[in-house]
Amino acid sequence: MNATQEKLKVQLEQALVAAFGTDFAGVDPILVSASNPKFGDYQANVALSLSKKLGKQPRAIAGAIVEKLDVSEICEPPEIAGPGFINLKLKTAYLEAQLNAIQADPRLGVPAAKTPKREIVDFSSPNIAKEMHVGHLRSTIIGDSIARILEFQGHDVLRLNHVGDWGTQFGMLIAYLREVYPDALTTANALDIGDLVSFYRKAKQRFDTDAGFQETARQEVVRLQAGAEDTLHAWKLLCEQSRQEFQVIYELLDVQIIERGESFYNPLLPKVVEDLDKSGLLVENQGAKCVFLEGFTNREGEPLPLIVQKSDGGYNYATTDLASLRYRIQQDQAKRIIYVTDAGQGNHFAQFFQVARKAGWIPDDVELVHVPFGLVLGEDGKKIKTRFGDSVRLRDLLDEAVSRAQADLKTRLQEEERQETEEFINEVARVVGISAVKYADLSQNRTSSYIFSYDKMLDFKGNTAPYMLYAYARIQGISRKGDINFKELGNNAVLLEHETELALAKYLLQLDEVISSVEQDLLPNRLCEYLYELSKKFNQFYDRNQGVQVLEAEEPQRTSRLILCDLTARTLKLGLSLLGIEVLERM
Ligand code: ARG
């Protein structure tokens, strides 16, 4: 609900009491956006819901409310329509005043959160020595955008990379490292083992075909857990190598994140099991320690246990998550913890959340949210692969987007007979390519799977990054053409006359509503839709036929329209920045 709606709501509540007495204090006036702009901007539907209680016709009730309603500063005289809707139409003078007010506001009228909270966004979280795949890319893009929105709202956000840097697979990797780089374990220098994914594959192959190697690998696991120096050294080398590879992706995407991998919580794991035992939740089942879950059953329909310690003493993914959850609540003081992973992990989160709740570890003021997302599919609707059938390397995927953007740009420059520097071309291609990938992901409702198509995401038409970037650059073009400094347009100069001006103005004033909805529901696609719709409204306003003239217009319209241009551009820039997307002044 935005500031205007809040004001209207208060007035409606007061009118209700004035008309029917204090019994009606606190009754929700049911204020919603108008179903049809013909009838105004908002409507209050409360009269219909009170008909029974008051024993009156809804239209009569609406009439009694309207008689006491004072919204003259904000709205035209309210009208009663249909069975008893109260229709409210915003006054032009009110809209003008609102726009004049946000013109000087870097937040464009979006109020910061009233009660800033400590929030954790757990995202990206690839696994060491394994491939960072498109699922991690989605998590990185969505998680980063959520974090940016929460930060903008003034929350104290901790961006955590829950890297998979521990587990029995390290036995095999270290044993193999010892074989192929015997020196690496004793030298202090970092080593370059090349492509870690193929290293992992080779190690796995050794492991699967050689019983002796398997035994060595197992011993390495024991040595690692016991903290043997050379084994730890090897483990660190592997982590460092992966970290460098991940960092390349984070830099390309301009993503900030703090690594706090699974290994960080190792010392806390025994206490998790101990405390579960103390609270009477722990059950021994075939040597494993587990907690039985409610609402989850195995294939035979029997209750499902969540194993927190295996019969060999090892801990699980879920145990680490339980430990990290406690740490985040106790040490980090988080009030909302957001986990961004593929929907396939839904059960995992539901299960350990349940166990933590049962154990009484989640205070009432702490919210746990799993933010699931669907798959990234190839153009054939199947799992995304390269032409050669291999899984796609993220680096290649991003590079390809940039080089396609560059090819498109060069064609366009030729068509337009424009000369641009190499530097300009590279920069535009980089921004367009990376934005296209991010926007294609964010503009989908994240819960659904989406098809990864370079052609679609790089298209200048439709709900794409290039379309949005172009709308922004086009507005900057107006300022260049008219030699206008947007920062120096007069104050209190907004004047709304034309239909397309009013439509654009109303839309500009909805940014706060959209941002607060994303802050709650964590669906960045709503912000994308808003920006797309805004660009369309702008294009209608600036359209030669159905819209208005801007640079050619007379004063005072000219300045007012330039302010609308500037506000649109600033809204686009701000909105895109919250999606992790940079704008271009020219493209
Ligand atoms: N490393 C996991 C994976 O690659 C994701 C971790 C998500 N975060 C968490 N706290 N479990 O699937």
Side-chain angles (χ1 to χ4, degrees):
M1 190 167 287
N2 66 26
T4 302
Q5 280 165 293
E6 255 159 49
K7 277 188 240 165
L8 291 174
K9 195 173 166 216
V10 171
Q11 292 304 329
L12 282 157
E13 282 167 352
Q14 287 176 3
L16 254 167
V17 173
F20 301 110
T22 45
D23 278 2
F24 290 82
V27 169
D28 181 0
I30 321 186
L31 180 70
V32 296
S33 294
S35 49
N36 184 337
K38 260 206 325 239
F39 304 133
D41 299 296
Y42 299 105
Q43 64 188 61
N45 298 343
V46 64
L48 285 85
S49 69
L50 290 182
S51 163
K52 229 191 188 153
K53 192 165 173 194
L54 286 165
K56 286 190 178 137
Q57 291 294 330
R59 274 193 82 97
I61 300 172
I65 296 173
V66 166
E67 211 164 284
K68 303 283 179 194
L69 186 62
D70 180 16
V71 288
S72 55
E73 251 178 60
I74 305 177
C75 298
E76 303 290 346
E79 276 173 22
I80 300 167
F85 305 118
I86 302 171
N87 286 342
L88 300 168
K89 188 169 190 296
L90 296 175
K91 265 191 180 164
T92 303
Y94 176 78
L95 292 168
E96 289 168 349
Q98 297 279 100
L99 288 173
N100 284 331
I102 65 172
Q103 196 193 346
D105 178 6
R107 297 183 58 90
L108 295 167
V110 181
K114 286 191 199 93
T115 43
K117 282 193 291 204
R118 172 128 255 226
E119 305 211 42
I120 289 179
V121 187
D122 171 322
F123 70 106
S124 195
S125 309
N127 302 314
I128 299 288
K130 290 195 195 162
E131 184 183 24
M132 185 171 179
H133 54 67
V134 285
H136 297 123
L137 178 69
R138 267 207 107 168
S139 175
T140 308
I141 293 173
I142 297 170
D144 177 54
S145 172
I146 289 176
R148 283 172 189 262
I149 291 166
L150 300 179
E151 284 154 358
F152 177 70
Q153 289 301 75
H155 297 293
D156 180 10
V157 180
L158 189 54
R159 299 159 159 256
L160 289 183
N161 204 353
H162 193 79
V163 175
D165 63 356
W166 202 254
T168 46
Q169 78 271 21
F170 280 97
M172 155 189 113
L173 292 165
I174 295 167
Y176 189 65
L177 190 65
R178 251 190 229 282
E179 278 189 4
V180 283
Y181 298 101
D183 302 338
L185 280 80
T186 45
T187 54
N189 302 343
L191 86 171
D192 186 14
I193 29 186
D195 176 11
L196 258 188
V197 174
S198 67
F199 180 86
Y200 186 94
R201 238 180 258 140
K202 285 186 220 149
K204 179 93 171 67
Q205 200 178 12
R206 278 287 278 125
F207 187 83
D208 289 341
T209 52
D210 185 331
F213 182 81
Q214 271 180 31
E215 187 43 41
T216 322
R218 240 170 253 130
Q219 278 161 19
E220 290 293 0
V221 176
V222 176
R223 291 174 55 76
L224 182 63
Q225 275 160 357
E229 211 171 300
D230 56 340
T231 303
L232 264 182
H233 181 68
W235 170 75
K236 280 186 193 144
L237 286 176
L238 292 166
C239 291
E240 189 47 40
Q241 175 91 18
S242 277
R243 197 169 287 138
Q244 282 168 18
E245 287 175 21
F246 302 155
Q247 199 50 41
V248 172
I249 305 292
Y250 297 141
E251 263 154 40
L252 280 171
L253 295 173
D254 186 25
V255 166
Q256 304 293 326
I257 190 162
I258 296 169
E259 181 180 327
R260 203 196 269 169
E262 295 184 16
S263 65
F264 177 87
Y265 305 98
N266 280 346
L268 311 175
L269 300 176
K271 189 90 178 15
V272 166
V273 178
E274 201 185 304
D275 289 351
L276 285 173
D277 198 13
K278 274 193 207 142
S279 43
L281 290 172
L282 212 62
V283 180
E284 284 246 358
N285 193 10
Q286 296 167 7
K289 295 189 171 133
C290 39
V291 179
F292 278 93
L293 298 160
E294 276 159 39
F296 292 96
T297 48
N298 64 15
R299 251 176 265 143
E300 285 75 40
E302 292 153 0
L304 193 76
L306 180 76
I307 299 179
V308 291
Q309 192 170 17
K310 294 181 279 188
S311 54
D312 67 3
Y315 300 99
N316 280 332
Y317 183 44
T319 327
T320 305
D321 262 324
L322 284 166
S324 64
L325 183 50
R326 295 216 293 184
Y327 189 91
R328 291 166 182 188
I329 293 173
Q330 291 165 5
Q331 310 300 318
D332 297 325
Q333 301 276 312
K335 295 298 174 210
R336 177 157 75 159
I337 310 177
I338 295 164
Y339 299 84
V340 188
T341 79
D342 62 284
Q345 297 196 38
N347 277 347
H348 164 73
F349 288 100
Q351 291 174 355
F352 85 81
F353 288 174
Q354 186 191 105
V355 170
R357 284 220 167 82
K358 271 197 185 160
W361 296 345
I362 315 298
D364 287 343
D365 64 344
V366 172
E367 210 186 328
L368 307 178
V369 201
H370 177 219
V371 166
F373 54 79
L375 304 172
V376 183
L377 303 172
E379 300 216 46
D380 54 1
K382 300 203 189 101
K383 205 177 153 199
I384 186 164
K385 292 208 182 73
T386 67
R387 265 172 298 162
F388 311 106
D390 304 326
S391 61
V392 189
R393 284 183 48 203
L394 291 192
R395 176 81 216 254
D396 296 342
L397 182 135
L398 296 172
D399 286 349
E400 170 95 17
V402 173
S403 60
R404 287 197 191 212
Q406 184 172 82
D408 288 355
L409 174 61
K410 285 185 172 159
T411 318
R412 198 155 49 83
L413 292 179
Q414 230 162 32
E415 282 165 8
E416 294 171 8
E417 294 179 9
R418 269 167 66 192
Q419 287 288 337
E420 296 289 354
T421 62
E422 202 58 29
E423 200 188 343
F424 174 88
I425 294 175
N426 289 339
E427 177 63 0
V428 172
R430 180 186 69 79
V431 172
V432 171
I434 300 292
S435 315
V437 173
K438 287 190 179 183
Y439 194 87
D441 195 318
L442 293 167
S443 57
Q444 303 291 320
N445 181 315
R446 58 173 163 73
T447 54
S448 44
S449 297
Y450 80 97
I451 291 185
F452 190 95
S453 158
Y454 286 115
D455 288 339
K456 265 207 194 127
M457 67 178 72
L458 289 167
D459 198 339
F460 270 68
K461 292 185 291 290
N463 190 8
T464 63
Y467 179 84
M468 236 62 75
L469 293 175
Y470 183 70
Y472 178 84
R474 189 173 179 216
I475 300 175
Q476 301 312 318
I478 298 173
S479 93
R480 284 190 294 271
K481 187 167 168 216
D483 201 13
I484 310 264
N485 184 348
F486 278 153
K487 292 196 186 73
E488 284 169 8
L489 296 167
N491 307 107
N492 297 326
V494 177
L495 181 69
L496 303 170
E497 296 166 341
H498 196 269
E499 206 185 318
T500 58
E501 289 175 310
L502 276 159
L504 178 61
K506 285 179 186 172
Y507 215 73
L508 282 166
L509 293 169
Q510 284 169 28
L511 179 68
D512 57 345
E513 233 170 295
V514 177
I515 290 184
S516 77
S517 100
V518 183
E519 181 186 352
Q520 279 163 44
D521 305 338
L522 310 174
L523 288 168
N525 62 300
R526 297 225 171 121
L527 180 55
C528 296
E529 273 151 34
Y530 170 80
L531 297 174
Y532 182 45
E533 215 28 66
L534 178 68
S535 314
K536 286 203 269 187
K537 294 261 186 314
F538 176 79
N539 288 340
Q540 281 156 10
F541 152 85
Y542 194 54
D543 185 277
R544 203 184 300 259
N545 299 314
Q546 52 174 332
V548 296
Q549 292 188 322
V550 177
L551 287 174
E552 307 78 12
E554 302 288 328
E555 291 297 358
Q557 283 81 0
R558 186 174 188 262
T559 298
S560 167
R561 289 172 189 168
L562 286 168
I563 294 173
L564 288 179
C565 291
D566 176 44
L567 285 174
T568 304
R570 284 165 57 196
T571 306
L572 285 172
K573 183 173 180 174
L574 173 62
L576 289 171
S577 81
L578 300 180
L579 300 170
I581 293 176
E582 294 168 66
V583 291
L584 293 162
E585 298 304 305
R586 222 157 58 76
M587 64 190 285

